[in-house]
Amino acid sequence: MVSSLRPAGAQGSLQVVYPPQEHTTLAPQIFFIGTAAPQVVVTLNGQVIGDRSPAGHFAPSIPLQPGLNRIILQAGDQRLEFAITRSVPQAPTTLQPLEPTADLVRLPNETICFTAAAPRDRAVRVQVGQRILPLEPLPPQGQLPPNLAALIGQGDVVTPRPPLYRNCLQLTQMGDYGPIQWQLAPQRQLGARIRVVEPTQLPVVEVTRSLGGVARTGPSTDYSRLTPLPVGTRARVRGQMGEWLHLDYGGWIHANEVRFLSSALPTIATIRSITSRQLTGWTEISFLLDVPVPMSIQQGDRQFTLTLHNTIPQTDIIHLDADPMIRRLDWYPLDPQQVQYRFTLHHRQQWGYRIAYEGTRLVLQLRHPPQLQRGAQPLRGIKILLDPGHGGPEDLGARGPDGTPEKVVTLALAKKLAPELERLGAAVILTRTEDIDLDLPDRILAIEAAQPTLALSLHYNALPDAGDARHTQGIGAFWYHPQSHDLALFLEGYLSQRLRRQQYGVFWNNLALTRPTIAPAVLLELGFMIHPEEFEWIVNPQAQAKLARTLAQGILQWLQQSTRD
């Protein structure tokens, strides 16, 4: 992405904000973001950059050869030299263990797999205790692209994968098998330690992280998130890889988000009756359990589904009166220790939820639709949170060709948007009103504390190295929870149409400012800082004012149509 380093050549007419003059990348190309006086000819490796904006900004890309690339950018008598190294994955010349790389704890008879990269047509083995297991070569197969590839239209580009060897086994005997030994003659190296333990030896843990335990599909941050586990959730550990704990319901969690309890504590709950009540603006449903168990949530079209894991249902009675949010509650035992509660809702649009344990009672709150007013202030009673992205001396965000940081224009837009929404009657909260550092957890806490009707995080965009900076522009929107999808889709289309800007796209993305559940939350990318002409539009005060007016009208129109359903 665009660097926050000092621009190269910042003292003269020629200025380059990206890349730095010494840079390493995996991309097959690199773009140069910068500016020079419009009347000065700028060349890149001797080729004139003709496609510049009226202010003289440029964003050409140049292909990279593997290894060191020396690139010269020149404007008049000003010359900048760049050393760009393209790293290309090489076929392994030695043994490279890939799985497992951290110590393992497993139960008897569980399958454990071993994977390594090594030169082709070699005998690769792993020794586990006294047992030697030969690894079999895998057929040639492509390597999946990184997630960021979807942002530059390369999500289906598969690259060659190095030769891999793999095999699996089951360890039936309990005990400490010590560190495994990887073998590729004459090379030998010690690896992860493996222990096989009795189920009664596995500990019970309780979630302590204040924002909820981050449960994942596997033992690292590379794996996708599951529904966060509320503080107090209790589960038994069924295995471990390094600092990652495999919980009995299937999710993984990092050890620093839990505390260890006695293994004698129960982790299977019983549930009987369920009760509900209406609060101001919310419907609250209480699930009385005798153990605070893991749970999962799914949102769908007019449906909200809660699944309780490690739970034995003994339910005969559910109390649910006529409700402005819930049409009906159905429940289903999925298996003897898993139960699902499916809420059929009156409205297609969902407006937020909260869930937490109060002791062993699981309390779910579903938010009622907002009430819009008639007259000149239709948003009276509506609360909207605006989060101007980035801020402070370190977090500049993306940078335009002349060095203008994203943090400046996000705040400028927020200060223009707030009064437009206030004129419509809305109460507006800004996470920052000046150039200060504000960490992501603090922004999330601000959303939770404000309990807004909507939360919008305002940003401007950039690209990874492999992107096409000169030809990529437009407005994009990012969402995470289904309750935010329609808002993202509407605002991206509305702004693009009304402002005659290109549409960059609508993306589901696991971003911190899209994860709050208390309200629909969308992150808007309102143009590309690194696109020469779009940057000039981004920093134009009149264009900012028009964007603010249009965005306020878009928010109003979306709220009007979403509350009519």
Side-chain angles (χ1 to χ4, degrees), residues 287 302-304 326 328-329 341-345 364:
F287 302 82
R302 298 183 188 269
Q303 286 200 335
F304 184 99
I326 303 169
R328 191 177 71 250
L329 168 59
Y341 299 92
R342 186 175 301 164
F343 297 86
T344 301
L345 308 177
L364 169 66

Side-chain angles (χ1 to χ4, degrees), residues 352-509:
Y353 68 90
R354 296 183 292 202
I355 192 162
Y357 274 110
E358 297 177 358
T360 61
R361 182 190 301 272
L362 184 64
V363 179
L364 169 66
Q365 294 178 334
L366 300 178
R367 196 169 194 173
H368 296 170
Q371 301 297 314
L372 270 62
Q373 310 299 318
R374 296 181 182 274
Q377 291 194 315
L379 298 186
R380 193 169 63 254
I382 300 297
K383 189 186 297 184
I384 296 174
L385 182 137
L386 303 178
D387 172 51
H390 309 285
E394 300 298 326
D395 186 8
L396 306 183
R399 300 177 70 191
D402 66 357
T404 299
E406 179 187 355
K407 66 173 185 174
V408 171
V409 285
T410 59
L411 184 57
L413 176 64
K415 288 183 174 181
K416 289 180 171 68
L417 176 57
E420 295 291 340
L421 291 168
E422 288 167 347
R423 272 192 280 275
L424 295 171
V428 181
I429 302 101
L430 271 67
T431 57
R432 66 180 182 96
T433 57
E434 53 187 336
D435 185 19
I436 59 170
D437 285 314
L438 194 63
D439 292 337
L440 291 175
D442 292 330
R443 297 174 194 257
I444 295 170
L445 288 173
I447 296 173
E448 297 292 341
Q451 299 184 29
T453 309
L454 303 176
L456 298 179
S457 189
L458 306 176
H459 286 256
Y460 291 91
N461 221 338
L463 291 171
D465 284 349
D468 184 353
R470 188 66 189 87
H471 300 103
T472 304
Q473 58 181 309
I475 290 171
F478 293 76
W479 62 281
Y480 183 70
H481 295 292
Q483 66 188 16
S484 304
H485 174 256
D486 193 66
L487 176 61
L489 199 67
F490 180 88
L491 290 180
E492 190 259 2
Y494 184 89
L495 293 175
S496 300
Q497 181 182 15
R498 294 303 176 96
L499 297 170
R500 297 185 179 180
R501 310 302 302 177
Q502 289 190 22
Q503 291 181 267
Y504 177 57
V506 177
F507 300 85
W508 178 92
N509 203 343

Side-chain angles (χ1 to χ4, degrees), residues 14 39 50 139 151 180 187 195 216 251 282 332 340 362 386 399 412 440 527 553 564:
L14 177 63
Q39 70 275 15
L151 298 178
I180 61 178
Q187 182 183 0
R195 289 190 300 128
R216 294 186 180 272
W282 300 80
Y332 312 88
Q340 187 175 92
L362 184 64
L386 303 178
R399 300 177 70 191
L440 291 175
Q553 287 299 314
R564 281 197 297 265

Side-chain angles (χ1 to χ4, degrees), residues 102-369:
D103 293 350
L104 296 180
V105 178
R106 289 288 188 267
L107 295 173
N109 299 312
E110 286 190 337
T111 299
I112 303 174
C113 293
F114 304 86
T115 307
R120 295 188 186 280
D121 303 322
R122 298 291 298 274
V124 181
R125 304 186 299 178
V126 63
Q127 182 172 341
V128 184
Q130 301 303 310
R131 183 173 175 180
I132 295 178
L133 178 71
L135 303 190
E136 303 294 333
L138 295 180
Q141 186 176 330
Q143 186 163 282
L144 294 176
N147 277 302
L148 285 177
L151 298 178
I152 56 176
Q154 297 181 4
D156 58 352
V157 177
V158 178
T159 56
R161 191 184 65 181
L164 296 183
Y165 296 78
R166 180 180 172 88
N167 208 341
C168 304
L169 57 71
Q170 290 181 331
L171 297 175
T172 59
Q173 300 298 316
M174 291 174 290
D176 188 342
Y177 287 78
I180 61 178
Q181 185 182 92
W182 299 90
Q183 301 176 1
L184 174 65
Q187 182 183 0
R188 293 171 182 262
Q189 63 185 92
L190 295 180
R193 178 181 294 272
I194 297 178
R195 289 190 300 128
V196 178
V197 300
E198 292 184 14
T200 56
Q201 293 179 330
L202 293 176
V204 172
V205 294
E206 181 182 86
V207 173
T208 57
R209 183 174 180 266
S210 59
L211 292 175
V214 181
R216 294 186 180 272
T217 56
S220 83
T221 55
D222 290 337
Y223 289 88
S224 298
R225 288 176 177 245
L226 301 171
T227 302
L229 301 177
V231 173
T233 300
R234 187 190 305 171
R236 189 172 301 279
V237 177
R238 59 169 295 174
Q240 185 169 353
M241 178 177 288
E243 294 297 310
W244 289 87
L245 309 176
H246 194 191
L247 303 183
D248 51 8
Y249 84 104
W252 291 78
I253 194 168
H254 197 274
N256 65 8
E257 298 186 6
V258 300
R259 68 186 180 109
F260 288 81
L261 306 175
S262 167
S263 60
L265 285 172
T267 56
I268 304 299
T270 300
I271 187 167
R272 291 176 181 163
S273 61
I274 298 165
T275 60
S276 66
R277 61 174 180 162
Q278 290 185 30
L279 309 175
T280 302
W282 300 80
T283 294
E284 181 181 278
I285 306 98
S286 292
F287 302 82
L288 183 58
L289 303 148
D290 50 7
V291 175
V293 294
M295 56 84 190
S296 302
I297 286 172
Q298 291 179 309
Q299 288 179 302
D301 189 17
R302 298 183 188 269
Q303 286 200 335
F304 184 99
T305 302
L306 170 69
T307 301
L308 298 180
H309 304 278
N310 302 341
T311 301
I312 300 172
Q314 296 181 352
T315 302
D316 282 335
I317 298 174
I318 294 176
H319 177 203
L320 181 64
D321 293 327
D323 186 85
M325 189 69 188
I326 303 169
R327 175 174 294 172
R328 191 177 71 250
L329 168 59
D330 300 298
W331 72 276
Y332 312 88
L334 301 182
D335 60 45
Q337 294 187 3
Q338 190 179 59
V339 58
Q340 187 175 92
Y341 299 92
R342 186 175 301 164
F343 297 86
T344 301
L345 308 177
H346 290 293
H347 308 284
R348 187 177 62 85
Q349 176 61 43
Q350 298 181 43
W351 296 94
Y353 68 90
R354 296 183 292 202
I355 192 162
Y357 274 110
E358 297 177 358
T360 61
R361 182 190 301 272
L362 184 64
V363 179
L364 169 66
Q365 294 178 334
L366 300 178
R367 196 169 194 173
H368 296 170

